Amino acid sequence: MTMQLYDLVGTGGLRFSPYCWRAKLALAHKGFAPETIPCKFTEIPNKVAFADHDRVPVLVDEGTAVPDSWRIALYLEDAYADRPSLFGGEAGRGMARFVNSWADSVLIPALAPVLLPDVFDCLDPADTSYFKETREKRFGTSIPSLAERRDEFERRLASALAPMKVTLKRQPFLSGETPLYPDYIVFGSLMWGRCTSDIDLLGGDETLHAWHDRMLDLFDGLARQAPRRAA
Amino acid sequence: MTMQLYDLVGTGGLRFSPYCWRAKLALAHKGFAPETIPCKFTEIPNKVAFADHDRVPVLVDEGTAVPDSWRIALYLEDAYADRPSLFGGEAGRGMARFVNSWADSVLIPALAPVLLPDVFDCLDPADTSYFKETREKRFGTSIPSLAERRDEFERRLASALAPMKVTLKRQPFLSGETPLYPDYIVFGSLMWGRCTSDIDLLGGDETLHAWHDRMLDLFDGLARQAPRRAA
């Protein structure tokens, strides 16, 4: 039976959720190509209620429902231990959690104000009111006023990327010589922007772009081929 | 032959260099208790010139000189592969570099303005002019004016610690179930403050303090017993 992944969908079928991308890349690393089940923001609570959860991604594998990108990575690692490892052992699993924590507490909050105006333009029309209300409440300001401060937010993002730059000057992937789950955490987060925006989130940095290109090439160009916002 | 570690020394024999602490903890993890060779800031270039380097730590092991805390960790891991691993495998080595990059580009710059006034008070008298000149140039302001802005710098530090908090809510060490080099990188950096200052760098956070206590207990209390600034 094919695995199923509940995935956020925007206008024109765009798939831009950073957390769903983490899961899709982890699945690809393990050699799985799940059937994805598109969910608009406003459909998610009903569609994934069976998993006792209210966000995507949710993975369903032979009747087992696994919510949350981090838990999905752990599930895949343990259930499919005979396939290529996502963590490279127990130490890697522990350290990958630090990368996941950094991505959730630093990278995503640095990306969000840069990307939100463009993400807003990529929503399914059914989701615009929900998104506007929740995000304007979260950021304490309107979406157009975020767009006006884009330069400031891009500078903050560039500063947040410093640990990646330092790392990638010394080794080809965040995980070392080969890509492992930490690379998918970070690159998956950046797919949020690739699918919705023309902004260069990497600020023209050559080291970061070289890594990003390597990531786009993985799995026969899985991420490179993902639909992007129409020009 | 006992290993030798060139180590920064302050007034009253204080040893507070964050990078030297990383090396001392890595050595302890491998079961080594090096002879430490105290160097005042202004003595370092002459004392470690033999290693073609101008900073501490420098490790000397049977005639081999190894400068730089990261390179020392790699050297110990490879030269003493039969002793407890610092990285837990290749993936851990790769991901540890991300933690090292984060510590160098985020944690140390967040600690520095909080601690510098107290570090200044802990210098050997021979070093005060050198330190004042170089640090005031680096920060573009006087050391007393850094002290005046301490509240602001402490808030910035608390924000920088976010990835540690998120990680340590889920697992006992930054590296997972047991301490590995990433824990020494971060804890070693914090020893900069423990030895020189009464400021609670962890802002009273229980999760962070519980981890910090576990780290102080390691190696029969190696770090806990280190001399601190006189009250």
Side-chain angles (χ1 to χ4, degrees), chain B residues 36-191:
Chain B
T36 62
I37 300 179
C39 310
K40 300 170 192 170
F41 267 116
T42 43
E43 293 174 335
I44 292 172
N46 275 336
K47 282 201 174 176
V48 304
F50 72 91
D52 202 18
H53 203 65
D54 60 0
R55 280 174 296 171
V56 289
V58 170
L59 177 71
V60 179
D61 181 23
E62 305 274 0
T64 301
V66 188
D68 183 81
S69 58
W70 176 257
R71 284 172 61 187
I72 289 170
L74 296 184
Y75 169 81
L76 293 172
E77 185 73 349
D78 293 336
Y80 298 98
D82 54 323
R83 295 186 173 223
S85 173
L86 285 163
F87 299 113
E90 280 309 301
R93 186 186 296 230
M95 296 181 207
R97 198 193 287 264
F98 181 84
V99 179
N100 205 65
S101 301
W102 174 81
D104 290 352
S105 63
V106 178
L107 179 61
I108 293 283
L111 289 167
V114 175
L115 290 177
L116 238 57
D118 283 343
V119 170
F120 184 71
D121 293 340
C122 291
L123 297 175
D124 187 282
D127 285 341
T128 52
S129 300
Y130 158 82
F131 190 90
K132 188 172 182 315
E133 190 179 324
T134 54
R135 270 48 177 185
E136 294 194 340
K137 189 173 173 191
R138 186 178 303 169
F139 286 87
T141 187
S142 73
I143 291 176
S145 76
L146 287 177
E148 282 165 21
R149 293 167 60 193
R150 188 178 125 184
D151 285 357
E152 169 197 341
F153 296 135
E154 284 196 67
R155 280 194 300 276
R156 242 192 256 174
L157 173 60
S159 157
L161 301 180
M164 290 174 57
K165 288 189 203 178
V166 176
T167 304
L168 293 166
K169 275 185 185 151
R170 303 301 182 87
Q171 60 190 31
F173 294 98
L174 296 174
S175 313
E177 295 302 314
T178 61
L180 295 172
Y181 193 58
D183 292 274
Y184 307 139
I185 296 167
V186 176
F187 175 73
S189 303
L190 295 168
M191 285 298 289

Side-chain angles (χ1 to χ4, degrees), chain A residues 71-85:
Chain A
R71 285 171 60 190
I72 289 170
L74 296 183
Y75 169 81
L76 292 173
E77 186 73 350
D78 294 337
Y80 298 97
D82 55 324
R83 293 183 174 227
S85 172

Side-chain angles (χ1 to χ4, degrees), chain A residues 19-73:
Chain A
Y19 298 99
C20 293
W21 269 106
R22 297 183 195 181
K24 279 182 265 191
L25 293 156
L27 283 156
H29 184 91
K30 286 284 186 188
F32 294 116
E35 173 196 359
T36 62
I37 300 178
C39 309
K40 300 170 191 170
F41 268 116
T42 44
E43 293 173 335
I44 292 172
N46 275 337
K47 281 201 174 176
V48 304
F50 72 93
D52 201 19
H53 203 65
D54 60 0
R55 280 174 297 172
V56 290
V58 169
L59 177 70
V60 180
D61 181 24
E62 304 275 0
T64 300
V66 188
D68 183 82
S69 58
W70 176 256
R71 285 171 60 190
I72 289 170

Side-chain angles (χ1 to χ4, degrees), chain A residues 202-219:
Chain A
L202 306 179
D205 184 89
E206 279 182 32
T207 304
L208 293 176
H209 272 287
W211 165 79
H212 196 258
D213 281 344
R214 288 190 285 275
M215 296 303 295
L216 287 168
D217 288 339
L218 293 178
F219 316 122

